[in-house]
Amino acid sequence: MMTDLKNKQDLSKDLREGVRRSIEIIANEVVARRRAQGLDPLPQSQAQPLALQSLRFLYRILFLLYAEASPELKILPVGDPDYARGYSLDRLRELVQVELASPRARSGTHLYESLALLFRLVDRGHTLDGDADRLVERGLEFQPLRADLFSSQATARIDEVGLGDFLVRNVLGE
C-alpha cells in the first residue's frame, strides 16, 4: 500500500512539473513570437496573466482529451470519420510524429491553428442549416459550449501571435 501511495505522489509531482514546464514553454514562445513579429514587449505586469492564459491553453487540450474519451457527453462528434480525419487530437498526435526539418516548418503554425479552430468550434458551435425544404449536405455539428475556458479572452495573448509547430509538438509531448 505504501508503494501505491509513493507512486501516486511521484505521478502527481511529475504531472505538476510537466504542467509548469509547459506553461513556461508557451509563455516564452509568446514573448519570442511578439519580438519576431515586431510587437511591443509585454510589460512585467502581464507575466502572471500570460502564465494563466498558458495554463488555460493546456486545460483546453486536457478538456478535449476528456471529451474525446467520453463520447456520451456529445461535446465532440467523436464517432464521425470526418472528425477523426480532420479535427481529432488523434490526428494531431499523428502530425506531432512528423519530423520538422526546416526552420520554416518549426515556426509554422499548422498545429496551433488546428487546435484554435477546434477550440472555436467547441466554444461557438457549428450546426447545419435545418431548412427541411432543401437538401442539406452531411457535415459535422458541434454544440456550443460557451464556457469561459474557451472564450476568446481566455488565451488572447497567445492567439495574438500563435504558437509554432515545434513548440506545440513539445507541449503535446509533455
Side-chain angles (χ1 to χ4, degrees), residues 120-165:
R120 280 191 305 276
L121 288 169
V122 168
D123 181 47
R124 299 178 192 154
H126 174 62
T127 57
L128 303 174
D129 185 359
D131 187 356
D133 292 338
R134 59 191 190 107
L135 178 64
V136 177
E137 289 186 37
R138 181 180 160 322
L140 292 175
E141 289 195 44
F142 290 81
Q143 297 306 313
L145 190 59
R146 304 262 189 241
D148 289 346
L149 179 61
F150 288 95
S151 77
S152 60
Q153 292 305 307
T155 57
R157 291 290 187 194
I158 295 169
D159 297 337
E160 187 176 23
V161 295
L163 297 174
D165 286 344

Side-chain angles (χ1 to χ4, degrees), residues 28-97:
N28 286 336
E29 173 80 351
V30 170
V31 170
R33 289 181 77 85
R34 287 184 67 80
R35 187 177 321 118
Q37 293 175 17
L39 298 172
D40 290 336
L42 294 174
Q44 183 61 34
S45 64
Q46 289 298 303
Q48 200 57 34
L50 178 57
L52 181 58
Q53 288 187 22
S54 299
L55 180 61
R56 287 181 180 144
F57 188 84
L58 294 173
Y59 280 167
R60 286 177 175 183
I61 294 169
L62 291 173
F63 179 87
L64 293 178
L65 287 168
Y66 179 76
E68 284 189 358
S70 306
E72 68 278 4
L73 297 176
K74 298 185 180 182
I75 294 169
L76 300 170
V78 174
D80 192 302
D82 289 337
Y83 176 79
R85 283 190 304 269
Y87 298 91
S88 74
L89 293 178
D90 279 339
R91 180 187 77 80
L92 290 180
R93 274 190 218 107
E94 290 172 11
L95 292 176
V96 165
Q97 303 305 316

